[in-house]
Amino acid sequence: MSTIKGLLVFTCVLVAAAFMHATMRHQPEADLDSVFAHLNRVMLDLGLVEVDCPREYDSDPYRYRKCFASPYSEEEFIQAFDVKVIGSYSRIFSWRQDYGVWGAFYHLLSAPDISFSVGVKSAFRDREVTKLMPGRKFVAFVRLTLERAAQ
């Protein structure tokens, strides 16, 4: 009887270890892809429209980068965006304005090494950005970048 119990316990431990290994295995690109897709859905759910990023961002190092046209003013966007993301993400650098651009940094609560930044500015302060806006109802430009912290 004790041999059968031992085999049963050993089997349970083996199954639990295999399950933990499978769920904890890290797939960095898959994680970043899914977080980026989620943030893209958040932007689209808010009514933003994807636009080309201005040429000034061509040389930045971010693989995960998107730009959007927003029908909200900067302040309205900040409020609506925070309502959508706080809970899954935590703000690690609060919204601040620098040279006319509002920016904030967040990280994923379940994977703090995954962080993203959001910048928003008036679409009419920059001629290149103004040209990217798909219509007059879009009044702000939003830039999203995502990365994994270097390990």
Short mmCIF file of all heavy atoms in Angstrom, two decimals, residues 20-86:
data_model
loop_
_atom_site.label_atom_id
_atom_site.label_comp_id
_atom_site.label_asym_id
_atom_site.label_seq_id
_atom_site.Cartn_x
_atom_site.Cartn_y
_atom_site.Cartn_z
N MET A 20 3.51 23.77 -13.68
CA MET A 20 4.17 25.03 -13.30
C MET A 20 5.21 25.44 -14.34
O MET A 20 5.31 26.61 -14.70
CB MET A 20 4.80 24.91 -11.92
CG MET A 20 3.78 24.88 -10.81
SD MET A 20 4.52 24.64 -9.19
CE MET A 20 5.60 26.04 -9.07
N HIS A 21 5.96 24.48 -14.84
CA HIS A 21 6.97 24.80 -15.85
C HIS A 21 6.31 25.33 -17.12
O HIS A 21 6.76 26.30 -17.71
CB HIS A 21 7.81 23.56 -16.17
CG HIS A 21 8.80 23.79 -17.28
ND1 HIS A 21 9.91 24.59 -17.10
CD2 HIS A 21 8.83 23.36 -18.56
CE1 HIS A 21 10.58 24.63 -18.24
NE2 HIS A 21 9.94 23.90 -19.14
N ALA A 22 5.22 24.72 -17.52
CA ALA A 22 4.52 25.14 -18.74
C ALA A 22 3.93 26.53 -18.60
O ALA A 22 3.97 27.33 -19.53
CB ALA A 22 3.43 24.14 -19.11
N THR A 23 3.39 26.87 -17.43
CA THR A 23 2.76 28.17 -17.25
C THR A 23 3.76 29.27 -16.95
O THR A 23 3.49 30.43 -17.21
CB THR A 23 1.71 28.13 -16.12
OG1 THR A 23 2.34 27.71 -14.92
CG2 THR A 23 0.56 27.22 -16.48
N MET A 24 4.92 28.93 -16.43
CA MET A 24 5.89 29.95 -16.07
C MET A 24 6.96 30.15 -17.15
O MET A 24 7.78 31.05 -17.04
CB MET A 24 6.56 29.60 -14.74
CG MET A 24 5.57 29.59 -13.59
SD MET A 24 6.32 29.11 -12.05
CE MET A 24 7.12 30.64 -11.61
N ARG A 25 6.93 29.34 -18.17
CA ARG A 25 7.89 29.48 -19.25
C ARG A 25 7.73 30.86 -19.88
O ARG A 25 6.63 31.31 -20.13
CB ARG A 25 7.65 28.38 -20.28
CG ARG A 25 8.75 28.19 -21.26
CD ARG A 25 8.50 27.00 -22.14
NE ARG A 25 7.10 26.91 -22.52
CZ ARG A 25 6.48 25.80 -22.79
NH1 ARG A 25 7.09 24.65 -22.71
NH2 ARG A 25 5.22 25.81 -23.12
N HIS A 26 8.81 31.54 -20.12
CA HIS A 26 8.75 32.91 -20.60
C HIS A 26 8.92 32.97 -22.11
O HIS A 26 9.87 32.44 -22.65
CB HIS A 26 9.85 33.72 -19.91
CG HIS A 26 9.42 35.09 -19.58
ND1 HIS A 26 8.32 35.36 -18.82
CD2 HIS A 26 9.93 36.28 -19.93
CE1 HIS A 26 8.19 36.66 -18.70
NE2 HIS A 26 9.15 37.23 -19.37
N GLN A 27 7.99 33.64 -22.75
CA GLN A 27 8.06 33.86 -24.20
C GLN A 27 8.03 35.36 -24.42
O GLN A 27 6.97 35.94 -24.65
CB GLN A 27 6.89 33.18 -24.90
CG GLN A 27 6.84 31.69 -24.69
CD GLN A 27 5.55 31.09 -25.22
OE1 GLN A 27 4.55 31.76 -25.36
NE2 GLN A 27 5.60 29.81 -25.52
N PRO A 28 9.18 36.03 -24.36
CA PRO A 28 9.22 37.49 -24.36
C PRO A 28 8.50 38.14 -25.54
O PRO A 28 7.74 39.07 -25.36
CB PRO A 28 10.70 37.83 -24.38
CG PRO A 28 11.43 36.59 -24.09
CD PRO A 28 10.51 35.44 -24.29
N GLU A 29 8.74 37.68 -26.74
CA GLU A 29 8.11 38.31 -27.90
C GLU A 29 6.60 38.12 -27.89
O GLU A 29 5.86 39.03 -28.20
CB GLU A 29 8.72 37.80 -29.20
CG GLU A 29 10.16 38.23 -29.41
CD GLU A 29 10.36 39.75 -29.32
OE1 GLU A 29 9.59 40.50 -29.94
OE2 GLU A 29 11.29 40.17 -28.61
N ALA A 30 6.17 36.91 -27.50
CA ALA A 30 4.73 36.65 -27.43
C ALA A 30 4.09 37.55 -26.39
O ALA A 30 3.01 38.10 -26.60
CB ALA A 30 4.47 35.19 -27.12
N ASP A 31 4.75 37.74 -25.24
CA ASP A 31 4.23 38.63 -24.20
C ASP A 31 4.11 40.05 -24.73
O ASP A 31 3.08 40.69 -24.56
CB ASP A 31 5.16 38.64 -22.98
CG ASP A 31 5.18 37.32 -22.23
OD1 ASP A 31 4.30 36.47 -22.49
OD2 ASP A 31 6.07 37.15 -21.40
N LEU A 32 5.16 40.55 -25.35
CA LEU A 32 5.13 41.92 -25.87
C LEU A 32 4.08 42.07 -26.97
O LEU A 32 3.36 43.07 -27.01
CB LEU A 32 6.51 42.33 -26.39
CG LEU A 32 7.58 42.54 -25.31
CD1 LEU A 32 8.94 42.78 -25.94
CD2 LEU A 32 7.21 43.68 -24.39
N ASP A 33 3.97 41.07 -27.83
CA ASP A 33 2.96 41.11 -28.89
C ASP A 33 1.55 41.21 -28.31
O ASP A 33 0.74 42.01 -28.77
CB ASP A 33 3.05 39.88 -29.80
CG ASP A 33 4.27 39.89 -30.70
OD1 ASP A 33 4.90 40.96 -30.87
OD2 ASP A 33 4.60 38.81 -31.24
N SER A 34 1.26 40.40 -27.30
CA SER A 34 -0.09 40.40 -26.74
C SER A 34 -0.38 41.69 -25.97
O SER A 34 -1.49 42.22 -26.05
CB SER A 34 -0.33 39.17 -25.87
OG SER A 34 0.53 39.16 -24.77
N VAL A 35 0.59 42.22 -25.23
CA VAL A 35 0.39 43.48 -24.52
C VAL A 35 0.20 44.62 -25.53
O VAL A 35 -0.69 45.46 -25.37
CB VAL A 35 1.57 43.78 -23.57
CG1 VAL A 35 1.48 45.19 -23.00
CG2 VAL A 35 1.63 42.77 -22.45
N PHE A 36 1.00 44.62 -26.58
CA PHE A 36 0.89 45.66 -27.60
C PHE A 36 -0.47 45.59 -28.30
O PHE A 36 -1.11 46.62 -28.53
CB PHE A 36 2.03 45.52 -28.62
CG PHE A 36 2.26 46.74 -29.45
CD1 PHE A 36 2.57 47.96 -28.87
CD2 PHE A 36 2.20 46.67 -30.82
CE1 PHE A 36 2.80 49.09 -29.63
CE2 PHE A 36 2.42 47.79 -31.60
CZ PHE A 36 2.72 49.00 -31.01
N ALA A 37 -0.94 44.39 -28.58
CA ALA A 37 -2.27 44.22 -29.19
C ALA A 37 -3.36 44.71 -28.24
O ALA A 37 -4.31 45.38 -28.68
CB ALA A 37 -2.51 42.75 -29.56
N HIS A 38 -3.21 44.43 -26.95
CA HIS A 38 -4.19 44.91 -25.97
C HIS A 38 -4.22 46.43 -25.92
O HIS A 38 -5.29 47.05 -25.93
CB HIS A 38 -3.90 44.35 -24.58
CG HIS A 38 -4.80 44.91 -23.54
ND1 HIS A 38 -4.39 45.87 -22.64
CD2 HIS A 38 -6.12 44.69 -23.27
CE1 HIS A 38 -5.41 46.20 -21.88
NE2 HIS A 38 -6.47 45.49 -22.23
N LEU A 39 -3.05 47.06 -25.88
CA LEU A 39 -3.00 48.52 -25.82
C LEU A 39 -3.56 49.14 -27.11
O LEU A 39 -4.21 50.18 -27.07
CB LEU A 39 -1.57 48.99 -25.56
CG LEU A 39 -1.05 48.69 -24.17
CD1 LEU A 39 0.45 48.94 -24.08
CD2 LEU A 39 -1.81 49.49 -23.11
N ASN A 40 -3.32 48.49 -28.24
CA ASN A 40 -3.88 48.97 -29.50
C ASN A 40 -5.42 48.93 -29.43
O ASN A 40 -6.09 49.88 -29.85
CB ASN A 40 -3.37 48.12 -30.66
CG ASN A 40 -3.79 48.67 -31.99
OD1 ASN A 40 -3.51 49.81 -32.33
ND2 ASN A 40 -4.51 47.86 -32.75
N ARG A 41 -5.97 47.83 -28.87
CA ARG A 41 -7.43 47.72 -28.72
C ARG A 41 -7.98 48.82 -27.80
O ARG A 41 -9.04 49.38 -28.04
CB ARG A 41 -7.84 46.35 -28.20
CG ARG A 41 -7.87 45.27 -29.26
CD ARG A 41 -8.54 43.99 -28.78
NE ARG A 41 -8.01 43.47 -27.52
CZ ARG A 41 -6.93 42.72 -27.40
NH1 ARG A 41 -6.23 42.38 -28.46
NH2 ARG A 41 -6.53 42.30 -26.21
N VAL A 42 -7.24 49.12 -26.74
CA VAL A 42 -7.65 50.19 -25.83
C VAL A 42 -7.77 51.50 -26.60
O VAL A 42 -8.76 52.22 -26.47
CB VAL A 42 -6.66 50.33 -24.65
CG1 VAL A 42 -6.87 51.64 -23.90
CG2 VAL A 42 -6.78 49.16 -23.70
N MET A 43 -6.76 51.80 -27.40
CA MET A 43 -6.77 53.05 -28.18
C MET A 43 -7.95 53.08 -29.15
O MET A 43 -8.66 54.08 -29.24
CB MET A 43 -5.46 53.22 -28.94
CG MET A 43 -4.24 53.36 -28.07
SD MET A 43 -4.30 54.81 -27.02
CE MET A 43 -2.60 54.90 -26.50
N LEU A 44 -8.17 51.99 -29.84
CA LEU A 44 -9.28 51.93 -30.81
C LEU A 44 -10.62 52.01 -30.10
O LEU A 44 -11.55 52.67 -30.58
CB LEU A 44 -9.16 50.68 -31.67
CG LEU A 44 -7.90 50.58 -32.53
CD1 LEU A 44 -7.88 49.25 -33.29
CD2 LEU A 44 -7.76 51.75 -33.47
N ASP A 45 -10.74 51.35 -28.93
CA ASP A 45 -11.98 51.42 -28.15
C ASP A 45 -12.28 52.84 -27.69
O ASP A 45 -13.45 53.21 -27.52
CB ASP A 45 -11.92 50.50 -26.92
CG ASP A 45 -12.00 49.02 -27.27
OD1 ASP A 45 -12.31 48.69 -28.44
OD2 ASP A 45 -11.73 48.20 -26.37
N LEU A 46 -11.25 53.62 -27.48
CA LEU A 46 -11.43 55.02 -27.08
C LEU A 46 -11.83 55.91 -28.26
O LEU A 46 -12.09 57.10 -28.08
CB LEU A 46 -10.15 55.56 -26.44
CG LEU A 46 -9.85 55.06 -25.03
CD1 LEU A 46 -8.46 55.50 -24.59
CD2 LEU A 46 -10.90 55.57 -24.05
N GLY A 47 -11.82 55.36 -29.46
CA GLY A 47 -12.18 56.15 -30.64
C GLY A 47 -11.01 56.76 -31.37
O GLY A 47 -11.20 57.59 -32.27
N LEU A 48 -9.79 56.37 -30.99
CA LEU A 48 -8.62 56.87 -31.70
C LEU A 48 -8.47 56.13 -33.01
O LEU A 48 -8.99 55.02 -33.18
CB LEU A 48 -7.36 56.69 -30.85
CG LEU A 48 -7.12 57.76 -29.78
CD1 LEU A 48 -8.17 57.75 -28.70
CD2 LEU A 48 -5.74 57.59 -29.17
N VAL A 49 -7.74 56.73 -33.94
CA VAL A 49 -7.50 56.14 -35.25
C VAL A 49 -5.99 56.07 -35.45
O VAL A 49 -5.28 57.04 -35.20
CB VAL A 49 -8.15 57.00 -36.36
CG1 VAL A 49 -7.78 56.50 -37.74
CG2 VAL A 49 -9.66 57.05 -36.19
N GLU A 50 -5.52 54.91 -35.90
CA GLU A 50 -4.08 54.78 -36.15
C GLU A 50 -3.68 55.65 -37.32
O GLU A 50 -4.37 55.71 -38.34
CB GLU A 50 -3.73 53.32 -36.42
CG GLU A 50 -2.24 53.09 -36.51
CD GLU A 50 -1.85 51.63 -36.70
OE1 GLU A 50 -2.69 50.74 -36.49
OE2 GLU A 50 -0.68 51.41 -37.07
N VAL A 51 -2.55 56.35 -37.16
CA VAL A 51 -1.99 57.18 -38.22
C VAL A 51 -0.50 56.86 -38.33
O VAL A 51 0.08 56.23 -37.45
CB VAL A 51 -2.19 58.70 -37.95
CG1 VAL A 51 -3.66 59.07 -37.94
CG2 VAL A 51 -1.51 59.13 -36.65
N ASP A 52 0.11 57.30 -39.43
CA ASP A 52 1.55 57.16 -39.56
C ASP A 52 2.23 58.00 -38.48
O ASP A 52 1.74 59.06 -38.10
CB ASP A 52 2.02 57.65 -40.93
CG ASP A 52 1.56 56.76 -42.06
OD1 ASP A 52 1.35 55.55 -41.81
OD2 ASP A 52 1.40 57.27 -43.18
N CYS A 53 3.37 57.52 -38.02
CA CYS A 53 4.16 58.31 -37.08
C CYS A 53 4.96 59.34 -37.87
O CYS A 53 5.39 59.07 -38.99
CB CYS A 53 5.10 57.41 -36.28
SG CYS A 53 4.24 56.33 -35.10
N PRO A 54 5.16 60.52 -37.30
CA PRO A 54 5.97 61.53 -37.98
C PRO A 54 7.40 61.04 -38.24
O PRO A 54 7.90 60.18 -37.52
CB PRO A 54 5.98 62.71 -37.01
CG PRO A 54 4.82 62.48 -36.11
CD PRO A 54 4.64 61.00 -36.03
N ARG A 55 8.03 61.60 -39.23
CA ARG A 55 9.40 61.21 -39.60
C ARG A 55 10.38 61.34 -38.44
O ARG A 55 11.36 60.61 -38.37
CB ARG A 55 9.88 62.04 -40.79
CG ARG A 55 9.22 61.69 -42.09
CD ARG A 55 9.88 62.46 -43.24
NE ARG A 55 9.95 63.88 -42.93
CZ ARG A 55 9.16 64.82 -43.46
NH1 ARG A 55 8.26 64.48 -44.33
NH2 ARG A 55 9.28 66.09 -43.12
N GLU A 56 10.14 62.26 -37.54
CA GLU A 56 11.07 62.47 -36.42
C GLU A 56 11.24 61.21 -35.56
O GLU A 56 12.21 61.08 -34.84
CB GLU A 56 10.63 63.65 -35.55
CG GLU A 56 9.34 63.40 -34.80
CD GLU A 56 8.81 64.64 -34.10
OE1 GLU A 56 8.34 65.54 -34.79
OE2 GLU A 56 8.89 64.67 -32.85
N TYR A 57 10.29 60.28 -35.65
CA TYR A 57 10.38 59.05 -34.86
C TYR A 57 11.02 57.90 -35.63
O TYR A 57 11.16 56.81 -35.09
CB TYR A 57 8.99 58.62 -34.39
CG TYR A 57 8.32 59.63 -33.49
CD1 TYR A 57 7.06 60.11 -33.79
CD2 TYR A 57 8.94 60.10 -32.35
CE1 TYR A 57 6.43 61.04 -32.96
CE2 TYR A 57 8.33 61.03 -31.52
CZ TYR A 57 7.08 61.50 -31.84
OH TYR A 57 6.47 62.41 -31.03
N ASP A 58 11.39 58.11 -36.87
CA ASP A 58 11.97 57.03 -37.68
C ASP A 58 13.22 56.41 -37.07
O ASP A 58 13.47 55.23 -37.24
CB ASP A 58 12.29 57.52 -39.10
CG ASP A 58 11.03 57.71 -39.94
OD1 ASP A 58 9.94 57.29 -39.50
OD2 ASP A 58 11.15 58.31 -41.03
N SER A 59 14.00 57.20 -36.37
CA SER A 59 15.26 56.69 -35.84
C SER A 59 15.17 56.21 -34.39
O SER A 59 16.18 55.81 -33.83
CB SER A 59 16.34 57.76 -35.96
OG SER A 59 15.98 58.89 -35.18
N ASP A 60 13.97 56.25 -33.79
CA ASP A 60 13.92 55.80 -32.41
C ASP A 60 14.07 54.28 -32.35
O ASP A 60 13.80 53.57 -33.32
CB ASP A 60 12.69 56.32 -31.67
CG ASP A 60 11.40 55.61 -32.02
OD1 ASP A 60 11.44 54.54 -32.62
OD2 ASP A 60 10.33 56.14 -31.68
N PRO A 61 14.50 53.74 -31.23
CA PRO A 61 14.84 52.31 -31.14
C PRO A 61 13.67 51.37 -30.88
O PRO A 61 13.88 50.17 -30.77
CB PRO A 61 15.81 52.27 -29.96
CG PRO A 61 15.33 53.37 -29.07
CD PRO A 61 14.85 54.46 -30.01
N TYR A 62 12.46 51.88 -30.79
CA TYR A 62 11.34 51.04 -30.38
C TYR A 62 10.75 50.24 -31.52
O TYR A 62 10.31 50.78 -32.52
CB TYR A 62 10.23 51.89 -29.75
CG TYR A 62 10.70 52.63 -28.53
CD1 TYR A 62 10.96 53.99 -28.59
CD2 TYR A 62 10.91 51.97 -27.33
CE1 TYR A 62 11.40 54.68 -27.48
CE2 TYR A 62 11.35 52.64 -26.21
CZ TYR A 62 11.59 53.99 -26.30
OH TYR A 62 12.04 54.66 -25.19
N ARG A 63 10.72 48.94 -31.35
CA ARG A 63 10.07 48.07 -32.33
C ARG A 63 8.55 48.16 -32.18
O ARG A 63 7.80 48.11 -33.14
CB ARG A 63 10.53 46.63 -32.11
CG ARG A 63 9.80 45.65 -32.99
CD ARG A 63 10.32 44.25 -32.83
NE ARG A 63 9.39 43.33 -33.46
CZ ARG A 63 9.13 42.13 -33.05
NH1 ARG A 63 9.78 41.64 -32.02
NH2 ARG A 63 8.27 41.38 -33.66
N TYR A 64 8.12 48.30 -30.93
CA TYR A 64 6.69 48.38 -30.63
C TYR A 64 6.32 49.86 -30.46
O TYR A 64 6.49 50.44 -29.39
CB TYR A 64 6.37 47.60 -29.36
CG TYR A 64 6.57 46.11 -29.51
CD1 TYR A 64 7.77 45.51 -29.17
CD2 TYR A 64 5.55 45.32 -30.03
CE1 TYR A 64 7.95 44.15 -29.32
CE2 TYR A 64 5.72 43.95 -30.19
CZ TYR A 64 6.93 43.37 -29.83
OH TYR A 64 7.11 42.02 -29.99
N ARG A 65 5.83 50.45 -31.54
CA ARG A 65 5.49 51.86 -31.54
C ARG A 65 4.30 52.07 -32.46
O ARG A 65 4.24 51.50 -33.56
CB ARG A 65 6.66 52.69 -32.05
CG ARG A 65 6.31 54.16 -32.21
CD ARG A 65 7.37 54.93 -32.94
NE ARG A 65 7.46 54.45 -34.32
CZ ARG A 65 8.53 54.58 -35.07
NH1 ARG A 65 9.61 55.12 -34.61
NH2 ARG A 65 8.52 54.13 -36.30
N LYS A 66 3.33 52.86 -32.01
CA LYS A 66 2.20 53.24 -32.85
C LYS A 66 1.82 54.67 -32.55
O LYS A 66 2.03 55.16 -31.44
CB LYS A 66 0.97 52.34 -32.59
CG LYS A 66 1.05 51.03 -33.30
CD LYS A 66 -0.31 50.38 -33.39
CE LYS A 66 -0.17 49.08 -34.16
NZ LYS A 66 -1.44 48.43 -34.36
N CYS A 67 1.24 55.29 -33.55
CA CYS A 67 0.77 56.66 -33.41
C CYS A 67 -0.72 56.70 -33.75
O CYS A 67 -1.19 55.92 -34.59
CB CYS A 67 1.56 57.59 -34.32
SG CYS A 67 3.32 57.65 -33.88
N PHE A 68 -1.42 57.60 -33.09
CA PHE A 68 -2.87 57.68 -33.23
C PHE A 68 -3.33 59.13 -33.31
O PHE A 68 -2.68 60.02 -32.76
CB PHE A 68 -3.56 57.03 -32.02
CG PHE A 68 -3.24 55.59 -31.82
CD1 PHE A 68 -2.15 55.20 -31.06
CD2 PHE A 68 -4.03 54.61 -32.40
CE1 PHE A 68 -1.85 53.87 -30.86
CE2 PHE A 68 -3.73 53.26 -32.21
CZ PHE A 68 -2.65 52.89 -31.45
N ALA A 69 -4.46 59.31 -33.95
CA ALA A 69 -5.17 60.59 -33.94
C ALA A 69 -6.28 60.45 -32.91
O ALA A 69 -6.98 59.43 -32.88
CB ALA A 69 -5.75 60.89 -35.31
N SER A 70 -6.44 61.47 -32.07
CA SER A 70 -7.43 61.41 -30.99
C SER A 70 -8.49 62.50 -31.16
O SER A 70 -8.14 63.65 -31.44
CB SER A 70 -6.74 61.60 -29.64
OG SER A 70 -7.69 61.74 -28.61
N PRO A 71 -9.75 62.14 -30.94
CA PRO A 71 -10.80 63.15 -30.96
C PRO A 71 -10.89 63.92 -29.65
O PRO A 71 -11.67 64.86 -29.52
CB PRO A 71 -12.08 62.34 -31.20
CG PRO A 71 -11.79 61.01 -30.58
CD PRO A 71 -10.30 60.79 -30.79
N TYR A 72 -10.08 63.54 -28.65
CA TYR A 72 -10.08 64.17 -27.34
C TYR A 72 -8.97 65.21 -27.23
O TYR A 72 -7.89 65.03 -27.81
CB TYR A 72 -9.84 63.14 -26.23
CG TYR A 72 -10.80 61.99 -26.21
CD1 TYR A 72 -10.41 60.72 -26.65
CD2 TYR A 72 -12.09 62.15 -25.73
CE1 TYR A 72 -11.29 59.65 -26.62
CE2 TYR A 72 -12.97 61.08 -25.70
CZ TYR A 72 -12.57 59.84 -26.14
OH TYR A 72 -13.44 58.79 -26.11
N SER A 73 -9.20 66.22 -26.41
CA SER A 73 -8.10 67.13 -26.05
C SER A 73 -7.10 66.33 -25.23
O SER A 73 -7.39 65.21 -24.80
CB SER A 73 -8.64 68.30 -25.23
OG SER A 73 -9.05 67.84 -23.94
N GLU A 74 -5.96 66.91 -24.97
CA GLU A 74 -4.94 66.20 -24.19
C GLU A 74 -5.49 65.78 -22.83
O GLU A 74 -5.34 64.62 -22.42
CB GLU A 74 -3.69 67.06 -23.98
CG GLU A 74 -2.94 67.41 -25.25
CD GLU A 74 -3.21 68.84 -25.71
OE1 GLU A 74 -4.41 69.22 -25.83
OE2 GLU A 74 -2.25 69.56 -25.96
N GLU A 75 -6.14 66.71 -22.12
CA GLU A 75 -6.65 66.42 -20.78
C GLU A 75 -7.75 65.35 -20.82
O GLU A 75 -7.81 64.47 -19.96
CB GLU A 75 -7.16 67.70 -20.12
CG GLU A 75 -6.06 68.71 -19.80
CD GLU A 75 -5.63 69.56 -21.01
OE1 GLU A 75 -6.28 69.48 -22.08
OE2 GLU A 75 -4.64 70.29 -20.87
N GLU A 76 -8.64 65.44 -21.81
CA GLU A 76 -9.71 64.45 -21.94
C GLU A 76 -9.14 63.06 -22.23
O GLU A 76 -9.61 62.06 -21.69
CB GLU A 76 -10.69 64.85 -23.05
CG GLU A 76 -11.51 66.08 -22.75
CD GLU A 76 -12.25 66.59 -23.97
OE1 GLU A 76 -11.79 66.38 -25.11
OE2 GLU A 76 -13.30 67.22 -23.78
N PHE A 77 -8.13 63.01 -23.09
CA PHE A 77 -7.49 61.72 -23.41
C PHE A 77 -6.88 61.11 -22.16
O PHE A 77 -7.05 59.92 -21.89
CB PHE A 77 -6.43 61.87 -24.50
CG PHE A 77 -5.62 60.61 -24.65
CD1 PHE A 77 -6.12 59.53 -25.36
CD2 PHE A 77 -4.38 60.49 -24.04
CE1 PHE A 77 -5.41 58.35 -25.46
CE2 PHE A 77 -3.65 59.32 -24.14
CZ PHE A 77 -4.16 58.25 -24.86
N ILE A 78 -6.14 61.90 -21.39
CA ILE A 78 -5.47 61.40 -20.20
C ILE A 78 -6.48 60.76 -19.25
O ILE A 78 -6.27 59.64 -18.75
CB ILE A 78 -4.67 62.53 -19.50
CG1 ILE A 78 -3.46 62.91 -20.36
CG2 ILE A 78 -4.26 62.13 -18.09
CD1 ILE A 78 -2.77 64.20 -19.93
N GLN A 79 -7.58 61.42 -19.01
CA GLN A 79 -8.61 60.89 -18.11
C GLN A 79 -9.21 59.60 -18.66
O GLN A 79 -9.34 58.61 -17.94
CB GLN A 79 -9.70 61.92 -17.88
CG GLN A 79 -9.23 63.09 -17.05
CD GLN A 79 -10.30 64.17 -16.94
OE1 GLN A 79 -11.35 64.12 -17.56
NE2 GLN A 79 -10.01 65.18 -16.12
N ALA A 80 -9.59 59.60 -19.93
CA ALA A 80 -10.22 58.41 -20.53
C ALA A 80 -9.24 57.24 -20.59
O ALA A 80 -9.62 56.09 -20.31
CB ALA A 80 -10.73 58.75 -21.94
N PHE A 81 -7.98 57.50 -20.91
CA PHE A 81 -6.97 56.45 -21.02
C PHE A 81 -6.72 55.81 -19.66
O PHE A 81 -6.70 54.58 -19.53
CB PHE A 81 -5.68 57.01 -21.60
CG PHE A 81 -4.62 55.98 -21.80
CD1 PHE A 81 -4.69 55.09 -22.87
CD2 PHE A 81 -3.55 55.87 -20.93
CE1 PHE A 81 -3.72 54.11 -23.06
CE2 PHE A 81 -2.57 54.91 -21.11
CZ PHE A 81 -2.66 54.03 -22.17
N ASP A 82 -6.55 56.63 -18.63
CA ASP A 82 -6.30 56.09 -17.29
C ASP A 82 -7.44 55.20 -16.82
O ASP A 82 -7.21 54.16 -16.20
CB ASP A 82 -6.02 57.20 -16.28
CG ASP A 82 -4.56 57.59 -16.21
OD1 ASP A 82 -3.73 56.97 -16.91
OD2 ASP A 82 -4.23 58.52 -15.45
N VAL A 83 -8.66 55.59 -17.09
CA VAL A 83 -9.81 54.76 -16.70
C VAL A 83 -9.71 53.38 -17.34
O VAL A 83 -10.01 52.37 -16.72
CB VAL A 83 -11.14 55.46 -17.08
CG1 VAL A 83 -12.32 54.50 -17.01
CG2 VAL A 83 -11.38 56.67 -16.19
N LYS A 84 -9.25 53.33 -18.59
CA LYS A 84 -9.17 52.06 -19.32
C LYS A 84 -8.03 51.16 -18.86
O LYS A 84 -8.14 49.94 -18.92
CB LYS A 84 -8.99 52.32 -20.83
CG LYS A 84 -10.23 52.76 -21.53
CD LYS A 84 -11.08 51.58 -21.83
CE LYS A 84 -12.08 51.88 -22.92
NZ LYS A 84 -12.91 50.74 -23.21
N VAL A 85 -6.89 51.74 -18.44
CA VAL A 85 -5.72 50.89 -18.20
C VAL A 85 -5.37 50.66 -16.73
O VAL A 85 -4.74 49.65 -16.41
CB VAL A 85 -4.45 51.41 -18.93
CG1 VAL A 85 -4.67 51.43 -20.43
CG2 VAL A 85 -4.01 52.76 -18.41
N ILE A 86 -5.76 51.58 -15.84
CA ILE A 86 -5.43 51.37 -14.43
C ILE A 86 -6.19 50.14 -13.94
O ILE A 86 -7.39 50.03 -14.10
CB ILE A 86 -5.76 52.61 -13.57
CG1 ILE A 86 -4.91 53.82 -14.02
CG2 ILE A 86 -5.56 52.32 -12.09
CD1 ILE A 86 -3.42 53.68 -13.85
#
